[in-house]
Amino acid sequence: MSKCLFAQNQVEYLGHVVSSRGVEPIGSKIQAIQQWPIPQSTRALHSFLGLAGFYQCFIHGYASIAAPLNHLMTKDSFVWSLTAQQAFDMLKEALTTAPVLLELCAITTAVKKWHQYLLGHPFVILTDHHSLKELMTQVVETPKQQTYLAILLGYDYHI
């Protein structure tokens, strides 16, 4: 019981906060990113990119934004430039103003996590998101939607 939480407004899980607003990065991690000093070495840059990469799902176009910084990671090419500074600032800005993920991502993440409890048992997914209410009757348009829908197949649920 000491590890169980019931009737919570939000839950921290694997570096994320899951709440009624959706999935977001943990505030303390975002604060650490905001206060991150300019990397002075490849090792320091690697640390920053590791943390930023963990939250890349919140950043649209992460790979293209981080490309100048990733280029600095190659052997003997660490020279901080204006392009690197702009990429560094853009990543920090993008991470501190991260949008909330779609509810479908949060639902599938929860179902995968608790699959041992949900498989073979009917359950209800509560949402006010209209397109999720019609999930099984709408046309699946993107590969991401197909992936999420495939995760939910085989479960006895009602939205």
Side-chain angles (χ1 to χ4, degrees), residues 2-16:
S2 65
K3 295 182 181 180
C4 297
L5 298 172
F6 298 98
Q8 299 294 306
N9 293 331
Q10 66 181 28
V11 176
E12 288 188 13
Y13 177 71
L14 295 178
H16 298 88

Side-chain angles (χ1 to χ4, degrees), residues 41-102:
S41 66
T42 304
R43 185 179 182 123
L45 179 59
H46 190 274
S47 296
F48 174 76
L49 287 175
L51 181 57
F54 183 76
Y55 291 114
Q56 68 181 312
C57 61
F58 294 99
I59 302 171
H60 181 69
Y62 173 83
S64 59
I65 296 171
L69 299 176
N70 285 323
H71 178 70
L72 294 178
M73 296 298 295
T74 58
K75 189 173 183 179
D76 298 328
S77 66
F78 187 85
V79 178
W80 198 256
S81 64
L82 180 61
T83 306
Q85 183 64 44
Q86 289 172 340
F88 182 71
D89 293 338
M90 284 177 63
L91 271 181
K92 287 172 71 171
E93 178 66 24
L95 283 165
T96 56
T97 59
V100 176
L101 290 180
L102 296 165

Side-chain angles (χ1 to χ4, degrees), residues 63-154:
S64 59
I65 296 171
L69 299 176
N70 285 323
H71 178 70
L72 294 178
M73 296 298 295
T74 58
K75 189 173 183 179
D76 298 328
S77 66
F78 187 85
V79 178
W80 198 256
S81 64
L82 180 61
T83 306
Q85 183 64 44
Q86 289 172 340
F88 182 71
D89 293 338
M90 284 177 63
L91 271 181
K92 287 172 71 171
E93 178 66 24
L95 283 165
T96 56
T97 59
V100 176
L101 290 180
L102 296 165
E103 285 184 38
L104 184 55
C105 177
I107 290 169
T108 55
T109 301
V111 168
K112 284 193 304 188
K113 172 63 181 169
W114 294 302
H115 73 275
Q116 67 270 21
Y117 303 111
L118 300 175
L119 198 59
H121 301 283
F123 61 95
V124 177
I125 298 171
L126 297 175
T127 182
D128 60 355
H129 197 280
H130 182 69
S131 66
L132 287 180
K133 289 180 180 180
E134 306 299 325
L135 182 64
M136 298 306 286
T137 59
Q138 66 184 350
V139 176
V140 179
E141 297 177 2
T142 67
K144 196 87 162 165
Q145 285 176 320
Q146 291 174 348
T147 303
Y148 289 143
L149 194 57
I151 291 169
L152 294 175
L153 291 176

